Coordinates of all heavy atoms in Angstrom, one line a residue:
Chain N
D269 N 192.2 -24.6 73.0 CA 193.0 -25.5 73.8 C 192.2 -26.6 74.4 O 191.3 -26.4 75.2 CB 193.7 -24.7 74.8 CG 194.7 -25.5 75.7 OD1 194.7 -26.8 75.6 OD2 195.5 -24.9 76.5
T270 N 192.4 -27.9 73.9 CA 191.6 -29.0 74.4 C 192.0 -29.6 75.7 O 191.4 -30.6 76.2 CB 191.4 -30.1 73.4 OG1 192.8 -30.5 73.0 CG2 190.7 -29.6 72.1
S271 N 193.1 -29.1 76.3 CA 193.5 -29.6 77.6 C 192.7 -29.0 78.7 O 192.2 -27.8 78.5 CB 195.0 -29.4 77.9 OG 195.2 -28.0 78.3
D272 N 192.5 -29.7 79.8 CA 191.7 -29.1 80.9 C 192.3 -27.9 81.6 O 191.7 -27.2 82.3 CB 191.2 -30.2 81.8 CG 192.3 -30.9 82.6 OD1 193.4 -30.2 82.8 OD2 192.2 -32.0 83.0
K273 N 193.6 -27.6 81.2 CA 194.2 -26.4 81.8 C 193.5 -25.2 81.4 O 193.6 -24.1 82.0 CB 195.7 -26.4 81.5 CG 196.5 -27.5 82.1 CD 198.0 -27.1 82.0 CE 199.0 -28.3 81.9 NZ 198.5 -29.6 81.5
S274 N 192.9 -25.2 80.1 CA 192.3 -24.0 79.6 C 190.9 -23.7 80.1 O 190.3 -22.7 79.7 CB 192.3 -24.1 78.1 OG 191.2 -24.9 77.6
I275 N 190.4 -24.6 81.0 CA 189.0 -24.4 81.5 C 188.9 -23.1 82.3 O 189.7 -22.8 83.2 CB 188.6 -25.6 82.3 CG1 188.4 -26.8 81.4 CG2 187.3 -25.2 83.0 CD1 188.1 -28.1 82.2
R276 N 187.9 -22.2 81.9 CA 187.6 -21.0 82.7 C 186.1 -21.0 83.0 O 185.3 -21.6 82.3 CB 188.0 -19.7 81.9 CG 189.4 -19.7 81.3 CD 190.4 -19.6 82.4 NE 190.3 -18.5 83.3 CZ 190.7 -17.2 83.1 NH1 191.3 -16.9 81.9 NH2 190.6 -16.3 84.0
G277 N 185.8 -20.2 84.0 CA 184.3 -20.0 84.3 C 183.8 -18.8 83.7 O 184.5 -17.7 83.7
F278 N 182.5 -18.8 83.3 CA 181.8 -17.6 82.7 C 180.4 -17.4 83.3 O 179.7 -18.4 83.5 CB 181.7 -17.8 81.2 CG 182.9 -17.8 80.5 CD1 183.6 -19.1 80.3 CD2 183.5 -16.7 79.9 CE1 184.8 -19.1 79.6 CE2 184.7 -16.8 79.2 CZ 185.4 -18.0 79.0
I279 N 180.1 -16.2 83.6 CA 178.7 -15.9 84.0 C 177.9 -15.6 82.8 O 178.1 -14.6 82.1 CB 178.7 -14.7 85.0 CG1 179.6 -14.9 86.2 CG2 177.2 -14.4 85.4 CD1 179.6 -13.7 87.2
V280 N 177.0 -16.5 82.5 CA 176.2 -16.4 81.2 C 174.8 -16.0 81.5 O 174.1 -16.8 82.1 CB 176.3 -17.7 80.4 CG1 175.5 -17.6 79.2 CG2 177.7 -18.1 80.1

Side-chain angles (χ1 to χ4, degrees):
Chain N
D269 181 351
T270 55
S271 80
D272 62 27
K273 291 195 210 21
S274 79
I275 291 173
R276 307 296 300 279
F278 296 85
I279 301 178
V280 178

